[in-house]
Amino acid sequence: MAKAGYHHGNLKQALVEAALRLIETHGPTGFTLSEAAKTAGVTPAAVYRHFEGREDLIAEGARQGYTIFADLMEHAYANGQPSALAAFGAVGRAYLAFARKFPGHYMAMFESGISPNHDPAIAQASARAEAVLTRAAETLSRHIPAGRRPPAAMFSAHFWAMCHGVVELYARTPPGTRTQFTPDDLLESGIGIYLRGLGLIPTDA
């Protein structure tokens, strides 16, 4: 009979959710399988019905995170149309929103050391999210003369790095700890500076 903490009717998902809560509190390497089992309300032996070890459990949390992430990015991009510039900004805001709303998933994806190539399912979900950024970059960069146009993959990589940097440095600490500016303002102004440099939006008068 299952312990009181386990009531989902889905042992595998209960363990993933337990791991994600522990990741939020202790980081991706700050908990054991026994602690994940205890949090889910099952015995440690039950974990091995679905996962080979802690890395496999974290990888499933990362896979689910990438899937949610890709869904949010695609939704943001679609809602930002028909303006390529608006769609680009919407994708950036979705990145910050995901990191805030799903911190356990975010940490499993980006701070656990698990590569997107860990297994095909993670690679596929990660590629789908990256494809949104590449598509946004391609659409926006069509407004740049061909001779000055950066490769879309480089454009999207710059954008991803900017979003990720804002999250890591400024969205993971209490407001005002590192700067008086909000993460949203920092990202918006950073995007503006970058796009002005490419000639995609006019310089301030």
Side-chain angles (χ1 to χ4, degrees), residues 14-15 18-19 22 31-42 47 57:
L15 289 166
L22 289 167
F31 70 98
T32 64
L33 278 179
S34 294
E35 289 171 326
K38 182 178 180 180
T39 301
V42 297
V47 179
L57 175 58

Side-chain angles (χ1 to χ4, degrees), residues 88-202:
F88 199 73
V91 168
R93 289 190 292 275
Y95 197 110
L96 291 186
F98 172 80
R100 287 189 182 112
K101 188 170 183 179
F102 301 98
H105 291 89
Y106 180 91
M107 294 168 75
M109 292 158 60
F110 298 120
E111 298 177 12
S112 66
I114 292 174
S115 167
N117 295 319
H118 179 83
D119 68 49
I122 297 178
Q124 183 179 17
S126 173
R128 187 159 65 90
E130 188 171 349
V132 177
L133 289 179
T134 302
R135 187 162 68 248
E138 285 175 343
T139 303
L140 197 53
S141 64
R142 288 173 193 158
H143 300 279
I144 304 172
R148 296 195 300 108
R149 185 182 303 161
M154 179 183 289
F155 191 162
S156 63
H158 288 164
F159 183 64
W160 192 310
M162 193 184 310
C163 293
H164 195 75
V166 169
V167 168
E168 289 295 324
L169 290 173
Y170 302 110
R172 306 288 298 282
T173 56
T177 302
R178 291 179 179 268
T179 176
Q180 71 268 35
F181 306 109
T182 68
D184 303 80
D185 287 344
L186 286 168
L187 182 59
E188 183 177 350
S189 62
I191 291 172
I193 292 167
Y194 183 77
L195 297 182
R196 285 187 184 92
L198 293 174
L200 286 167
I201 56 178

